[in-house]
Every structure is written in C-alpha cells, then in structure tokens.
Amino acid sequence: MIPLGNDKFTRTKHPVRDDQIPQPPKKCYGQLYKIKPTQTIFSIAHKFGVTAEDILDANPQIVNRDLIFVGQLICIPAGTPKPKPVCDLRVLTLSFLTEDGQPLPVVDGAVQLSARVIIRPTFNRPVSRAFFFLEPTGTETCELASLIGIDCPSAVSGVAEILWQVPPGTLGRVFVVACIDSCCAKSDEVLVVRNS
C-alpha cells in the first residue's frame, strides 16, 4: 500500500474550459463523487477504503491517472472487503516420547522427562515450520519462554518432531507454535519436569 502523503498522483487541476472535464462513466456500481481541490486518486481511494486501481478500473474515462479535474464526477466502486484467509490449522496432539518411541510417564500432571526426549506434535494439515518452546513454571509470561527447537517438516505430513537434550532440573511448560503460509496455531501447554 502506498503511504499517506504520497504524491505519486498529481493533484487535481482547475479546468480551463468546461469541455475539458471528462463525463462520468456510463455505468457506476457504487457512487458518484465530485473531486475537490488538492485531491489525488490515491487520497480519494483512501477516503473511501478502496485502492487507486479500483477507482481507475471503475472510471475508463480517466485516461491519464495524473490528470483529474476539480468538479469532475468519478465513480467510487462499492468497496468489497477482501476475504480474510481461513486459518483452520490446529494442533491435534503433543506427545513426549523416549528415543525408541515409547510415551513418557506422567506423574501428578507433569510429563517425567529423561535426558533425551522426542517431542512430536501432530496437526490437522501439513505445516512448513514448527517452533518448540519451554516456559519456566511460575513466570506466567511468554517473554521468558525459550526456543528449544525448530522443525521444517515435509509438506505432505501433518507431523513435526525434534530430539530435545533436556537440561537437568528442567521444570516448565512446553508448547509448540506451527505455521503454514501466514496461518499459525499454538498447542496447549504441557507441564514437564526432569529431576535428575
């Protein structure tokens, strides 16, 4: 998007003769608008929440985008909001496994970690990146979360995986954030502990 205050388009001109002003388009699917002094196509587009290209497309009589006139009637197309992309990515499971693929035990709601742990989330569709985090317990703030691994899984599988070298005395909550394109999802947090 062009920033406000951009002078990419020449400001309106005062017509010398009435026949200089082009007639509005024969069909207008929106509203007619009379151009005021100092306006540009861009400033008008911004005012109505459309793009400059939308205005130019709706006004074939404007043959030079840098030449519009004070008092000229132009068509402002009905704004059609761009649909937001549907982000249906979800984390289905978050598993903690031994190196040979066996589930780790859970005691008092905390996964009991060993020195090396496989963390394996599954997703409802393939992801391009998965980021694994540990947030220390008692902090209640994500600012203290630390990245413990990244996986770039295959584009055909909804599974990511890292092998985590767990430091002794680890106590916290593990969660995963995964993305594909601009769609991201976060898992629930899982309490983990390594006593030795």
Side-chain angles (χ1 to χ4, degrees):
M1 177 173 264
I2 302 168
L4 288 177
N6 184 311
D7 289 327
K8 181 176 181 178
F9 300 103
T10 305
R11 299 203 181 276
T12 54
K13 303 205 180 313
H14 288 279
V16 177
R17 305 179 318 269
D18 285 340
D19 65 345
Q20 269 186 298
I21 301 176
Q23 293 299 309
K26 291 186 179 13
K27 292 182 182 175
C28 177
Y29 301 102
Q31 68 182 33
L32 290 175
Y33 176 74
K34 187 181 277 192
I35 297 175
K36 296 175 178 48
T38 74
Q39 289 185 313
T40 66
I41 290 186
F42 175 77
S43 69
I44 296 167
H46 181 73
K47 174 183 175 95
F48 287 97
V50 296
T51 67
E53 292 307 317
D54 290 339
I55 289 179
L56 292 170
D57 290 345
N59 293 279
Q61 79 281 11
I62 300 176
V63 291
N64 179 349
R65 63 179 21 190
D66 293 323
L67 186 59
I68 57 176
F69 297 94
V70 173
Q72 180 179 353
L73 285 176
I74 62 171
C75 179
I76 306 298
T80 53
K82 308 265 188 280
K84 291 183 180 179
V86 175
C87 183
D88 63 347
L89 181 61
R90 290 184 319 280
V91 182
L92 300 176
T93 63
L94 182 56
S95 303
F96 295 82
L97 310 167
T98 63
E99 287 187 83
D100 59 357
Q102 298 303 309
L104 290 169
V106 177
V107 175
D108 294 327
V111 175
Q112 304 298 299
L113 302 175
S114 54
R116 292 165 52 96
V117 173
I118 295 171
I119 305 176
R120 182 183 297 152
T122 60
F123 308 93
N124 64 323
R125 62 188 196 135
V127 297
S128 55
R129 300 280 185 279
F131 303 91
F132 298 75
F133 295 93
L134 172 68
E135 181 178 292
T137 57
T139 60
E140 299 299 324
T141 174
C142 65
E143 295 162 354
L144 299 175
S146 58
L147 183 67
I148 57 176
I150 301 174
D151 188 19
C152 305
S154 114
V156 295
S157 169
V159 179
E161 184 176 287
I162 63 166
L163 179 61
W164 181 25
Q165 304 278 6
V166 183
T170 295
L171 175 61
R173 293 175 301 277
V174 170
F175 62 94
V176 176
V177 176
C179 301
I180 185 159
D181 301 322
S182 60
C183 178
C184 296
K186 177 187 174 286
S187 73
D188 289 334
E189 298 171 357
V190 176
L191 185 61
V192 297
V193 63
R194 179 179 175 206
N195 294 321
S196 56

